[in-house]
């Protein structure tokens, strides 16, 4: 998966050719449709046309995108419904991952007591999509803390949108209720749904196609050559809340399933990495290694980075 703001995709034909060869999935920064939203959040009020061009170019070569709007209170929450409608109609977009803005690294001046949360966004989705999606359509992702990540999938046929949880009791298959007697067939469906309702799920990937196709068996849809087409007609709506210094909670961190993998093998939970000093120490060490890495690339030899280490004692932290 490639994280991108879309600029180079919009401008660089050679880069687009290379992407067509590699065919990655994309996590695509897309905060709305108003220049004021981009001015406040990104400092780039005129970037929308470039983003739309990048999406159209990816659609032309058949690559799938999850658009990622950062939702900031008082800035772009009124655009949530429009973002979902746009995602449903655009041929490149396979999913939307809404992120309530978290204030670590670069961020605008904010009131930490006035912030967007997953429940806020779910309520706005219900209000702004005229019932296409409602709060009961969203299921917490089992692998992490229930307040961190929720997701739903919907089958789109023309103007008709049918969220999967309305035709399949996802909670049953995700094993929230113990001691349930199910046939072996259902165990396969449970495994498929656990894959979909996972923070590692990539909308539009071959793996997600397979998982959706198997899940559709539980909806009484027959096995046929059209099952893959059904899977391609699905859209994912995800809500991902990251912690910052104002919302940091160690219990959430202990169940984190999004991590930075660093040289030497250390895995640091995303929210810890960005909030309590890991990023600064890792960046300094990686920057120090960069000249040698570039030399190795020029000379065509292997480069083995030194392990990243951390020391919090000097900062008075434990």
């Amino acid at each position: 998966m490639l994280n991108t703001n879309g600029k180079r995709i919009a401008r660089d034909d050679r880069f687009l050719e290379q992407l067509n060869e590699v065919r990655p999935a994309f996590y695509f920064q897309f905060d709305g449709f108003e220049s004021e939203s981009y001015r406040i959040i990104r400092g780039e009020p005129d970037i929308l046309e470039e983003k739309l061009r990048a999406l159209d170019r990816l659609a032309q070569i058949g690559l799938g995108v999850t658009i990622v709007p950062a939702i900031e209170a008082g800035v772009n929450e009124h655009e949530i419904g429009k973002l979902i409608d746009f995602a449903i109609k655009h041929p490149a977009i396979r999913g939307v991952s809404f992120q309530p803005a978290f204030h670590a690294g670069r961020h605008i001046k904010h009131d930490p007591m006035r912030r967007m949360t997953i429940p806020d966004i779910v309520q706005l989705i219900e209000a702004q999509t005229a019932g296409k999606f409602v709060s009961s359509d969203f299921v917490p992702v089992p692998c992490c803390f229930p307040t961190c990540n929720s997701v739903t999938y919907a089958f789109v046929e023309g103007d008709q949108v049918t969220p999967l949880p309305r035709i399949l009791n996802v909670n049953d298959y995700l094993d929230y209720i113990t001691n349930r007697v199910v046939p072996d067939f259902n165990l396969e469906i449970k495994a498929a749904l656990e894959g979909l309702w996972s923070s590692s799920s990539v909308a539009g990937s071959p793996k997600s196609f397979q998982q959706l196709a198997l899940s559709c068996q539980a909806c009484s849809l027959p096995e046929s050559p059209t099952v893959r087409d059904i899977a391609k007609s699905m859209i994912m709506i995800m809500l991902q809340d990251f912690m910052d210094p104002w919302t940091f909670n160690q219990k959430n961190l202990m169940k984190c399933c999004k991590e930075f993998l660093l040289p030497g093998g250390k895995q640091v939970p995303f929210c810890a990495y960005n909030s309590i000093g890991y990023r600064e120490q890792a960046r300094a060490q990686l920057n120090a290694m960069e000249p040698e890495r570039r030399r190795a690339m020029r000379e065509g030899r292997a480069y083995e980075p030194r392990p990243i280490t951390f020391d919090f004692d000097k900062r008075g932290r434990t």
Side-chain angles (χ1 to χ4, degrees), residues 5 9 14 22 58 75 99 120 132 140 173 189 196 206 215-216 240 244 264 283 288:
N5 58 18
I9 296 169
R14 175 62 186 141
V22 178
L58 291 172
V75 178
Q99 291 184 0
D120 292 333
K132 283 180 184 173
Y173 289 107
I189 296 168
L196 289 174
S215 304
C216 285
Q240 173 68 63
D244 58 28
R283 179 176 289 174

Side-chain angles (χ1 to χ4, degrees), residues 37-51:
S37 297
Y38 287 106
R39 184 191 69 78
I40 294 171
I41 298 174
R42 308 293 172 189
E44 297 182 282
D46 302 320
I47 197 175
L48 176 61
E49 289 304 317
E50 203 163 31
K51 288 181 178 290

Side-chain angles (χ1 to χ4, degrees), residues 147-177:
T147 60
C148 292
N149 196 332
S150 290
V151 68
T152 195
Y153 294 82
F155 177 59
V156 180
E157 187 175 26
D159 293 330
Q160 183 67 33
V161 178
T162 307
L164 194 57
R166 298 188 194 178
I167 52 179
L168 175 66
N169 193 335
V170 176
N171 285 338
D172 283 358
Y173 289 107
L174 292 181
D175 207 22
Y176 290 120
I177 301 173

Side-chain angles (χ1 to χ4, degrees), residues 24-148:
F26 294 87
Y27 207 60
F28 191 104
Q29 179 195 92
F30 197 93
D31 300 317
F33 302 92
E34 297 180 6
S35 60
E36 186 66 358
S37 297
Y38 287 106
R39 184 191 69 78
I40 294 171
I41 298 174
R42 308 293 172 189
E44 297 182 282
D46 302 320
I47 197 175
L48 176 61
E49 289 304 317
E50 203 163 31
K51 288 181 178 290
L52 294 173
R53 174 171 164 75
L55 288 173
D56 289 344
R57 280 159 67 89
L58 291 172
Q60 288 169 8
I61 58 175
L63 289 176
V65 170
T66 297
I67 60 169
V68 188
I71 304 300
E72 183 72 70
V75 178
N76 62 338
E77 70 265 46
H78 61 287
E79 296 194 80
I80 287 172
K82 190 174 180 181
L83 282 160
I84 290 176
D85 287 340
F86 174 70
I88 289 171
K89 293 171 183 174
H90 197 284
I93 300 175
R94 300 285 182 263
V96 186
S97 183
F98 288 105
Q99 291 184 0
F102 66 101
H103 300 100
R106 292 177 298 171
H107 57 80
I108 66 173
K109 185 177 179 181
H110 70 287
D111 177 357
M113 300 302 293
R114 183 173 178 263
R115 60 189 300 134
M116 298 301 297
T117 65
I118 285 179
D120 292 333
I121 293 179
V122 168
Q123 291 174 13
L124 289 168
I125 287 173
E126 186 166 338
Q128 294 179 22
T129 62
K132 283 180 184 173
F133 295 93
V134 298
S135 59
S136 57
D137 295 328
F138 293 88
V139 179
V141 170
C143 78
C144 55
F145 206 77
T147 60
C148 292

